[in-house]
Amino acid sequence: MKKLIFCCLVVLMGACKDDKKDPEPETDYAPSFVGVYETTTVEGGITSRYKWDVTTEAKNQLNVKYTKNTEVKVSGTTISLTQEYPLVAVKTTAQDNFEVNEKVNVTQSTNQALNVRLSGIGSRIVNGSGVAQINITLKSSEASTGLPDEEVYLEFKKK
């Protein structure tokens, strides 16, 4: 009888055991992207300098102050345009990846209003020189002008 009661207690204790483990907290990948990244492109007399100043304020969310300085040389004159794109909801999707998908009110040196949708998937890698960089194909569209969407591939090096 004692053995039967003991066996029942063992079975009862096993049934009452909490099988739920504490859920693992979600990893925050955002801090590893923080820094300043830059790149320059030259195409057909147009030089564009791109800068991303990446910060974070929330878990797995990046804020990017994206600046594009464009210079066009025409007939011995240089025309400059500076555009600032404040990206406030860039989401990290994995340790080395993030997604851009938001509408942005662009501040321009011409003081003209511009509202664009930016989208793309970025990847962080370490290049052959051992420098961290972000590679992204960035798509922009602005419906009100009727201009075609623009798509540019950029390789930002960390400074």
Side-chain angles (χ1 to χ4, degrees):
M1 185 69 167
K2 287 182 183 182
K3 288 183 182 182
L4 184 59
I5 293 174
F6 179 75
C7 286
C8 288
L9 280 174
V10 170
V11 171
L12 184 61
M13 288 176 61
C16 293
K17 183 179 176 186
D18 185 13
D19 288 336
K20 295 181 186 176
K21 294 183 180 178
D22 291 334
E24 290 189 28
E26 183 181 357
T27 304
D28 186 10
Y29 301 115
S32 61
F33 287 93
V34 171
V36 176
Y37 301 82
E38 296 178 351
T39 193
T40 301
T41 62
V42 179
E43 187 177 328
I46 301 173
T47 302
S48 297
R49 289 177 187 81
Y50 301 87
K51 180 179 177 183
W52 277 23
D53 188 355
V54 182
T55 59
T56 182
E57 289 187 26
K59 191 174 204 174
N60 286 320
Q61 183 173 325
L62 302 171
N63 293 338
V64 179
K65 181 180 176 188
Y66 168 31
T67 306
K68 179 181 176 184
N69 293 309
T70 304
E71 292 180 348
V72 180
K73 294 185 181 186
V74 182
S75 303
T77 302
T78 301
I79 301 168
S80 298
L81 171 66
T82 299
Q83 298 173 305
E84 292 182 0
Y85 303 75
L87 304 173
V88 295
V90 178
K91 295 182 177 127
T92 58
T93 55
Q95 181 176 355
D96 293 320
N97 296 316
F98 62 88
E99 180 180 4
V100 176
N101 187 17
E102 61 184 284
K103 276 190 164 183
V104 181
N105 290 320
V106 181
T107 303
Q108 301 188 96
S109 57
T110 61
N111 293 322
Q112 293 178 326
L114 179 62
N115 186 287
V116 297
R117 171 163 294 286
L118 291 176
S119 62
I121 304 291
S123 300
R124 184 185 50 186
I125 66 164
V126 176
N127 64 21
S129 303
V131 177
Q133 74 181 44
I134 293 175
N135 298 342
I136 188 168
T137 299
L138 199 58
K139 300 171 190 162
S140 62
S141 60
E142 202 271 319
S144 67
T145 62
L147 295 173
D149 295 351
E150 181 181 66
E151 186 172 300
V152 61
Y153 174 74
L154 299 168
E155 294 181 354
F156 290 91
K157 306 316 185 265
K158 190 169 186 179
K159 298 297 172 185

